[in-house]
Amino acid sequence: MDFLVEIGLAGLNSRIKRLSDDLLYSTREYYKNAGLDIEPNWHLIFLILEKNKSLTITDISQELRLSHPACIKIINKMKKKKYIVTRADKNDSRKQLLELSTKAKEKLPEFHKHWEACIKTSEQLIENIPSFLKDLSELEQLISEKNYNQRTLENFKK
């Protein structure tokens, strides 16, 4: 038997992490086998910059609800692969605007084909769990209102 399943809610965080890791590593393997030189978590940056043309790291961090350091790490890797370029904001030269490079724009049609296959795979994985995305959104909302740390401290004090 799976120990994390056996211990019930005591294993919840670890099961979510395990699932996330399984999806991440499997997607990374797919990208490698497909000859793509991108990472699984980059697609969010590609998509948000494709939609908005240019954004600051802070804008991206807030929009994706990722930590600023996590965004910097992803973006630096993408810059190294020449998928992102930066330019100074016309109104505030201290702000650096991120944009997709010419290389990124040329590769996007190919990437989109692969991302569509990934979406189809996700649909297949949850097709028998119709409320999965709704339930996930509800859990995310609850955690954004009061995070796990705050809730646990309250429970510990009771």
Side-chain angles (χ1 to χ4, degrees):
M1 171 163 219
D2 183 331
F3 182 70
L4 295 179
V5 173
E6 183 181 319
I7 61 174
L9 287 173
L12 178 65
N13 293 353
S14 294
R15 288 179 70 188
I16 292 170
K17 173 77 167 111
R18 179 173 65 186
L19 177 61
S20 174
D21 287 349
D22 285 349
L23 293 169
L24 175 75
Y25 295 130
S26 188
T27 304
R28 183 176 287 138
E29 181 181 13
Y30 171 79
Y31 286 172
K32 182 181 176 187
N33 291 338
L36 304 178
D37 66 340
I38 60 174
E39 292 289 323
N41 55 1
W42 294 8
H43 83 283
L44 300 172
I45 307 297
F46 279 112
L47 294 175
I48 200 166
L49 287 176
E50 181 180 34
K51 177 183 175 189
N52 294 285
K53 306 301 179 215
S54 65
L55 293 169
T56 65
I57 290 176
T58 301
D59 295 333
I60 292 170
S61 174
Q62 290 172 347
E63 187 71 22
L64 298 178
R65 292 175 47 193
L66 293 174
S67 72
H68 198 267
C71 280
I72 290 171
K73 186 176 178 181
I74 293 168
I75 288 162
N76 284 340
K77 287 181 179 182
M78 292 178 74
K79 281 182 183 178
K80 190 174 182 180
K81 291 282 190 172
K82 305 204 182 314
Y83 284 118
I84 290 182
V85 293
T86 57
R87 65 174 176 82
D89 186 310
K90 291 175 187 172
N91 300 323
D92 184 350
S93 61
R94 296 169 298 170
K95 282 187 181 178
Q96 292 295 306
L97 293 172
L98 304 170
E99 297 176 350
L100 292 176
S101 67
T102 301
K103 174 185 175 181
K105 291 173 186 172
E106 289 171 356
K107 292 275 198 172
L108 274 175
E110 178 186 0
F111 293 162
H112 276 291
K113 290 177 185 174
H114 291 282
W115 295 333
E116 286 300 319
C118 291
I119 290 168
K120 182 71 176 162
T121 300
S122 295
E123 287 172 349
Q124 291 169 346
L125 288 170
I126 66 167
E127 69 186 350
N128 293 318
I129 317 168
S131 66
F132 180 80
L133 289 178
K134 180 180 177 282
D135 294 344
L136 180 60
S137 292
E138 288 177 16
L139 180 59
E140 288 172 326
Q141 180 62 38
L142 288 170
I143 290 172
S144 74
E145 291 168 4
K146 189 185 297 182
N147 71 31
Y148 196 86
N149 174 51
Q150 294 165 322
R151 290 171 186 273
T152 304
L153 283 172
E154 286 176 8
N155 288 324
F156 183 76
K157 290 176 183 176
K158 287 181 182 177

